[in-house]
Amino acid sequence: DSILLQPFHQKLDDSFLASGGRHRYGPVNDFLSALVPSGATHYHEIARQFISTYEKPGLLGIISDFLDDGDILKPLQYLADFGNELLLVQVWDPADREPTSTGDVTLTDAESGTALELSLDREALDAYTAAFDNYSSLIENLALRSGGRYVGFSTVVPLEEAIFTALNQAGADLQRTAAMT
């Protein structure tokens, strides 16, 4: 089996094709380790480029925080509508889901550098966390409705635990699907 790794942000970056079995892990690890996050992600443009570049649908795994100024649900649905099976892995920093600072704060977007000054109290922080969880639920529902899968993790979850939890969840989903047919 082969796997194509396709990094993206504002556009599709250089890809990496791995095939030939587990001895290809070293080059895959080197490729992933060399990636440098940069710039904002524009999901609508990325979906358009992806469909134009990869016309044959397949299993499409997307690892992202899914935080974007624009609507990400439509581009993800667009990818599913073109026949791709979505495996959506949402990864977030704990502060992205549950900010803890109260009072007058300045939030700076890591991707755009845009600063926003706010006054936050506990009620506002709780409302934000609830909105984040609702947003994650919308992403999960889109994946499930289109026949795909979703898993979400905080960056504090050790990598091995995240991988095995995702694999176990995917296996359970496949077993449920087999039992239903």
Side-chain angles (χ1 to χ4, degrees):
D1 288 332
S2 298
I3 184 171
L4 179 79
L5 303 174
Q6 179 60 72
F8 62 91
H9 60 288
Q10 295 173 340
K11 62 179 181 56
L12 296 180
D13 294 329
D14 292 335
S15 62
F16 181 82
L17 179 63
S19 61
R22 61 181 181 252
H23 71 278
R24 296 293 299 170
Y25 175 75
V28 168
N29 186 58
D30 294 343
F31 176 77
L32 292 173
S33 296
L35 294 177
V36 177
S38 64
T41 302
H42 300 287
Y43 283 91
H44 182 63
E45 178 60 24
I46 293 302
R48 188 191 65 71
Q49 287 180 17
F50 188 87
I51 294 298
S52 296
T53 304
Y54 304 105
E55 296 175 2
K56 184 178 177 184
L59 175 60
L60 175 56
I62 302 173
I63 303 170
S64 175
D65 59 11
F66 295 106
L67 299 175
D68 188 42
D69 289 339
D71 178 14
I72 67 149
L73 297 176
K74 286 182 184 177
L76 292 174
Q77 185 63 57
Y78 182 62
L79 292 167
D81 289 346
F82 271 82
N84 292 292
E85 179 183 351
L86 301 180
L87 170 57
L88 304 179
V89 179
Q90 185 180 18
V91 181
W92 62 82
D93 184 275
D96 287 342
R97 182 178 175 271
E98 293 183 276
T100 58
S101 299
T102 57
D104 294 333
V105 297
T106 301
L107 303 177
T108 304
D109 185 306
E111 294 173 344
S112 70
T114 303
L116 179 64
E117 294 183 17
L118 298 170
S119 291
L120 300 173
D121 58 13
R122 187 74 244 163
E123 185 178 321
L125 295 178
D126 291 343
Y128 173 84
T129 299
F132 185 96
D133 291 345
N134 182 60
Y135 179 70
S136 296
S137 293
L138 293 173
I139 297 167
E140 179 178 19
N141 289 337
L142 182 142
L144 297 175
R145 266 194 336 268
S146 65
R149 294 177 211 65
Y150 166 90
V151 65
F153 294 105
S154 166
T155 56
V156 299
V157 174
L159 180 60
E160 295 81 13
E161 183 180 333
I163 291 170
F164 288 115
T165 300
L167 290 173
N168 286 336
Q169 182 176 340
D173 290 344
L174 291 174
Q175 288 176 353
R176 269 194 301 274
T177 301
M180 296 165 88
T181 58

